[in-house]
Amino acid sequence: MTDFKMKTDADGVAIITWDVQGKSMNVMTLEAWPVLDGLIDDALADDAVKGIVITSGKDSFAGGMDLNVIAKMKESAGDNPAKGLFDGLMESHAILRKIERAGMDAKTNKGGKPIAAALPGTALGIGLEIPLACHRIFAADNPKAKIGLPEIMVGIFPGMGGTTRLSRKLGAMGASPLLLEGKLNDPKKAKAAGVVDEVVPADELLSAAKAWVLSEPKIVKPWDEKGYKMPGGAPYHPAGFMTFVGASAMVNGKTQGAFPAAKALLSAVYEGALVPFDTALKIEARWFTNVLMNPSSSAMIRSLFINKEALEKGANRPAIADQKVQKVGVIGAGMMGAGIALVSALAGIQVVLIDNTQEAADKGKAYTTAHLDKGIARKKTTPEKKETVLGLINATTDYAALAGCDLIVEAVFEDVGVKAEVTQKVQAVVGPDCIFATNTSTLPITELAKASNDPEKFIGIHFFSPVDKMLLVEIIKCKETGDVAVAKALDFVRQIRKTPIVVNDERFFYANRCIIPYINEGIRMVKEGVEPALIENAAKLLGMPLGPLQLVDETSVDLGVKIAKATKAAMGDDYPDGEVDDVLFWMFDQNRLGRKSNSGFYDYDAKGKRTGLWEGLATQYPVADDQPDLTTVQHRLMFAQVLEAVRALEENVLEDIREGDVGAILGWGFAPWSGGPFSWLDIIGAPYAAERCDQLTEEFGARFTTPALLREMADKSQAFYKRFGQDTKAA
Ligand code: NAD
């Protein structure tokens, strides 16, 4: 069974059809490449063949390279992996270059057979790089199709000629949103952007491509003709110069230099623009090898693609019948409840949205109205869809409306008493099979479950704010939570298209548990006299989306004070964060509460825009003459989070390191280039991590003490993914 098949029709057009058996979408494998290569050879050598159309046997063209293959490319590249990778890439270039040259005479550009790509639908990654090597790209007018090169999103870049061809076809400026942001377009937009050449009705796709092939078209690519100039100008052209300076600044501004692929991509485009096409392909292959050799790329692919998808598909779901939610009751129509109602209704689930007053319930529903109105204005949705979605939400104060709900998500005030009362009121109405979930972020689920008369059906479903934007949902089991409740929560998360992690019940669960030490380490440094700009920039240079001080401003100083007081009450004399509280409580006393009061660690203008760090902080916490070096600040911020993740694993809060890594990136934006805390520890190696912890402990205190697990792994030179990866787990 081969992935590619060829048939020559009566007109002399060889149709190569890509159709991977047993998959809904084509993906390229290392085995399939030579098959395509052989078919191209055959067609070019066959005098009966006038031209070639490459298409797909599915309603899409291809989803790209099999990322499982890319993630393991380095491991399987032999003893000298850099050379092995480079040679392999050059072989792929040779295949695509063969398609592009199609038998033309090297000097005169005469001869050759026209080759068209006919895309019935989605064409991503190598699924677009193959068409880009063809002479004309036809796409079916399928508005659901997505066309583009999204590689940058998983930490690599288009390395099968896509970078070089697209930048030469569109110019650096035109190619930059597609290459640098991985922007995907539907076929019409792809044509407007110049990526595809023709959009035709789906039932005319093949005939249009064939007609073109038979029309004796000119097939030589502009970059193979004498005098080719890059659209918009190459780097030394005045206009091109501006583009490259701008792109460079943009990439550095967005990535802070923390993502190796973005810089490598830009270098490949820049350097490639200065040399002939074939040399540019070599440069692209060199940079792509460089990216694949960097452990960041395989870690990113593993967490952001392979493991994220595995979790979404229910890797940790108990093996029981489908628990899809039909009718959800959302109690509390505040900030979180309103968002939960929105995402549920968007997924087609019937929603009862309850609050204490009709006004509050209506206000919660109005959030969905506003969201849909914005969507209509941006042409992302229609008035009809708006009516359908709003029709699914019943905003009321009447608990009786909850009858028939199979899931409840409680999002009322963060108060044990209020939550217990709500639990009992709900139980009086719903049936015995209904699962009750709480969205608490700080209260132990086990404690809240006491109010339930069936703790087996009680669970935590912890959303992050803003609910409609944040991709992660943390599902929290307490000891008595049953499998049906876990499956229900996971099926609900899948319905609303978010990524779940399942953790056990301990203080702050997983995400907040790790993010609080990060914030606290930042504040602690303020108290020590570390320059606030150094703290914030050190975090940004690590690839964290927000520095710790900005994060306090966003989540609010009073929330920090509330959490500190509650934690102190719970921990008593063991409470370790007195130093942090000095600063936090002082900020609270100054009424600098963060963004919500338009003043915090940062200053804000009247419109709420941050204008810079607040200089007044230095009056209370003067900046010390001696400043630590950047790496020390970064290691403090990194280890504060990572050690907490290791402790969560030791304490069985986390049962699966994949969840620890994916949850960290999606939940609080943990340095995505690293693949997550466990991947980062694997990159630096357990022995070095333990040694560094010992140094940090000596210098800064016991919070950096090497966890026993890490110490043991350091002694045995073990890696987390070798010891706890899913392969090991399954064994
Ligand atoms: P909020 O104050 O915006 O909303 C709470 C809503 O609950 C209010 O509209 C209130 O009128 C309503 N309410 C209170 N008692 C009620 C009752 N007995 N019956 C019905 N409705 C009642 O609060 P929020 O920020 O939406 O937080 C709600 C829950 O979500 C809390 O448990 C919080 O810890 C959790 N949470 C919050 C965030 C966040 O970032 N805000 C993130 C994750 C989880």
Side-chain angles (χ1 to χ4, degrees), residues 357-623:
T357 63
Q358 188 61 40
E359 198 189 345
D362 289 341
K363 190 169 166 230
K365 182 171 175 176
Y367 185 74
T368 296
T369 315
H371 177 92
L372 293 165
D373 284 341
K374 230 191 261 167
I376 293 172
R378 290 185 189 155
K379 298 206 161 51
K380 298 243 178 229
T381 190
T382 59
E384 296 74 44
K385 173 101 198 272
K386 175 182 162 186
E387 286 319 306
T388 313
V389 173
L390 285 176
L392 287 170
I393 304 179
N394 173 13
T396 177
T397 57
D398 181 9
Y399 276 68
L402 296 172
C405 281
D406 50 336
L407 175 70
I408 301 292
V409 182
E410 167 276 302
V412 299
F413 296 140
E414 192 72 335
D415 180 288
V416 179
V418 177
K419 289 191 189 282
E421 192 193 316
V422 166
T423 310
Q424 274 150 17
K425 273 168 88 175
V426 168
Q427 279 173 172
V429 199
V430 297
D433 293 335
C434 180
I435 302 297
F436 189 101
T438 172
N439 180 46
T440 181
S441 36
T442 57
L443 303 169
I445 311 289
T446 312
E447 184 65 28
L448 298 179
K450 286 183 185 154
S452 163
N453 47 27
D454 191 357
E456 222 180 277
K457 305 219 164 61
F458 199 95
I459 195 162
I461 301 186
H462 182 215
F463 284 86
F464 295 81
S465 173
V467 176
D468 42 311
K469 296 227 169 69
M470 296 296 285
L471 302 170
L472 187 75
V473 177
E474 205 171 16
I475 294 169
I476 304 117
K477 299 183 283 186
C478 40
K479 273 206 187 69
E480 291 176 324
T481 304
D483 280 355
V484 178
V486 176
K488 187 92 186 172
L490 281 165
D491 290 355
F492 176 54
V493 173
R494 187 171 57 213
Q495 281 173 277
I496 58 173
R497 299 216 179 132
K498 296 200 183 280
T499 309
I501 61 170
V502 183
V503 300
N504 287 306
D505 186 27
E506 270 299 332
R507 178 177 301 283
F508 303 135
F509 322 130
Y510 175 62
N512 286 344
R513 172 184 180 145
C514 297
I515 195 72
I516 291 170
Y518 167 71
I519 291 175
N520 285 354
E521 201 59 29
I523 298 179
R524 210 183 291 269
M525 286 193 249
V526 168
K527 170 103 202 242
E528 291 169 17
V530 178
E531 173 70 69
L534 175 57
I535 303 169
E536 295 291 271
N537 286 327
K540 293 263 182 75
L541 290 169
L542 283 169
M544 296 295 296
L546 304 182
L549 305 180
Q550 190 185 343
L551 193 53
V552 180
D553 273 13
E554 294 297 333
T555 50
S556 89
V557 167
D558 47 324
L559 178 69
V561 166
K562 217 168 134 193
I563 292 176
K565 281 186 179 160
T567 315
K568 198 169 176 176
M571 292 183 77
D573 290 345
D574 291 338
Y575 183 70
D577 292 323
E579 303 271 289
V580 175
D581 292 354
D582 279 358
V583 181
L584 202 60
F585 286 49
W586 182 77
M587 290 291 286
F588 184 75
D589 291 342
Q590 308 305 304
N591 202 28
R592 293 193 71 96
L593 303 181
R595 173 174 292 287
K596 70 166 158 196
S597 70
N598 238 12
S599 64
F601 285 103
Y602 284 82
D603 283 325
Y604 298 81
D605 67 15
K607 286 187 182 149
K609 189 168 177 271
R610 271 179 305 116
T611 54
L613 281 154
W614 176 45
E615 287 182 1
L617 189 62
T619 57
Q620 182 73 5
Y621 299 103
V623 173

